[in-house]
């Protein structure tokens, strides 16, 4: 069975909205688009290059993230080798959504059941951004790994990674490091139920 790995940039208060640029997502009046840019350095760039490797993996994207990617990567593929050739599954409520980027397949209808079926065979799936999709996957326990970059900033408002319906779940920290600018890179794997006790 293939794994689903969710890759997210989040603030200290859990905001994931519009990390990449000012015009990425202004819904809800969000005014801090591009909040990750001041924290990127050579260290972060190397981590990103490693995590962007598409060897033995395919992409699972929400519609909004797909639009952003499709508007950029087909013309800048040197920056992400293999991105045009890799299979891209795109989740959308709109069954008429036009997929112009090569090797893209639309998933509509019962998203949860279709993703469960998708997990049964094939290369691992990587989810970048895709806030609504990620929250759906978390709610239905379909996330096997979380690769988080936690930035040393609080944003106060905006879409949060764990805002809607994440189930109680335990994760193991499998890898972590800190960039010179204070970005915590933390990779977690799903391991079971929440354990409790006293001390």
């Amino acid at each position: 069975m293939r794994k689903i790995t969710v890759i997210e940039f989040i603030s200290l208060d859990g905001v994931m909205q519009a990390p990449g640029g000012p015009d990425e997502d202004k819904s809800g009046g969000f005014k801090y688009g591009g909040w990750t840019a001041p924290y990127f350095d050579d260290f972060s760039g190397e981590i990103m290059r490693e995590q962007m490797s598409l060897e033995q993996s395919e992409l699972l994207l929400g519609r909004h993230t797909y639009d952003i990617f499709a508007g950029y990567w087909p013309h800048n593929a040197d920056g992400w080798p293999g991105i045009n050739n890799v299979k891209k599954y795109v989740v959308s409520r709109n069954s008429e959504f036009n997929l112009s980027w090569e090797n893209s397949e639309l998933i509509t209808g019962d998203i949860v059941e279709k993703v469960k079926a998708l997990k049964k065979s094939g290369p691992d799936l990587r989810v970048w951004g895709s806030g609504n999709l990620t929250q759906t996957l978390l709610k239905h326990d379909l996330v096997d790994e979380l690769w988080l970059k936690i930035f040393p900033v609080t944003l106060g408002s905006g879409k949060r990674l764990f805002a809607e319906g994440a189930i109680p779940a335990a994760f193991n920290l499998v890898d972590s490091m800190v960039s010179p600018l204070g970005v915590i890179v933390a990779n977690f794997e799903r391991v079971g139920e929440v354990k409790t006790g006293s001390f």
Side-chain angles (χ1 to χ4, degrees):
M1 181 172 288
R2 56 170 132 186
K3 294 187 298 188
I4 293 180
T5 299
V6 168
I7 303 164
E8 298 289 356
F9 303 139
I10 63 171
S11 65
L12 285 175
D13 54 343
V15 174
M16 61 183 293
Q17 187 169 352
D23 296 320
E24 191 174 348
D25 182 359
K26 294 182 178 179
S27 62
F30 189 71
K31 60 182 180 179
Y32 297 109
W35 51 271
T36 63
Y39 299 98
F40 268 91
D41 54 15
D42 290 342
F43 176 94
S44 299
E46 183 57 35
I47 296 296
M48 291 302 298
R49 278 187 289 278
E50 290 174 11
Q51 294 191 348
M52 289 166 74
S53 169
L54 296 169
E55 187 176 350
Q56 307 273 321
S57 65
E58 297 176 335
L59 298 181
L60 176 62
L61 302 171
R63 176 183 172 172
H64 186 63
T65 299
Y66 176 84
D67 279 341
I68 294 169
F69 280 19
Y72 180 81
W73 287 115
H75 318 291
N76 298 276
D78 289 348
W80 195 346
I83 188 62
N84 286 331
N85 296 326
V86 75
K87 183 76 170 186
K88 294 165 277 284
Y89 297 97
V90 186
V91 174
S92 176
R93 294 185 196 95
N94 181 2
S95 61
E96 304 299 318
F97 182 51
N98 181 28
L99 300 177
S100 57
W101 197 5
E102 60 190 286
N103 298 312
S104 299
E105 180 179 323
L106 187 63
I107 298 176
T108 61
D110 189 336
I111 302 303
V112 172
E113 288 306 313
K114 289 185 178 178
V115 171
K116 284 179 180 178
L118 201 59
K119 281 193 73 171
K120 289 182 179 176
S121 65
D124 289 347
L125 295 163
R126 303 270 175 90
V127 179
W128 288 83
S130 306
N132 293 336
L133 170 62
T134 294
Q135 289 176 345
T136 298
L137 297 175
L138 288 166
K139 181 177 180 180
H140 295 277
D141 201 15
L142 292 170
V143 175
D144 300 289
E145 295 182 344
L146 288 167
W147 293 357
L148 304 180
K149 283 86 182 157
I150 305 164
F151 289 75
V153 60
T154 57
L155 299 172
S157 64
K159 295 177 185 172
R160 285 175 162 76
L161 177 58
F162 299 106
E164 299 294 335
I167 63 166
F171 289 82
N172 270 350
L173 179 66
V174 295
D175 190 23
S176 66
M177 55 195 83
V178 182
S179 82
L181 294 176
V183 178
I184 300 169
V185 178
N187 300 340
F188 299 89
E189 65 179 1
R190 178 81 167 89
V191 293
E193 303 305 313
V194 174
K195 297 177 181 177
T196 63
S198 60
F199 57 90

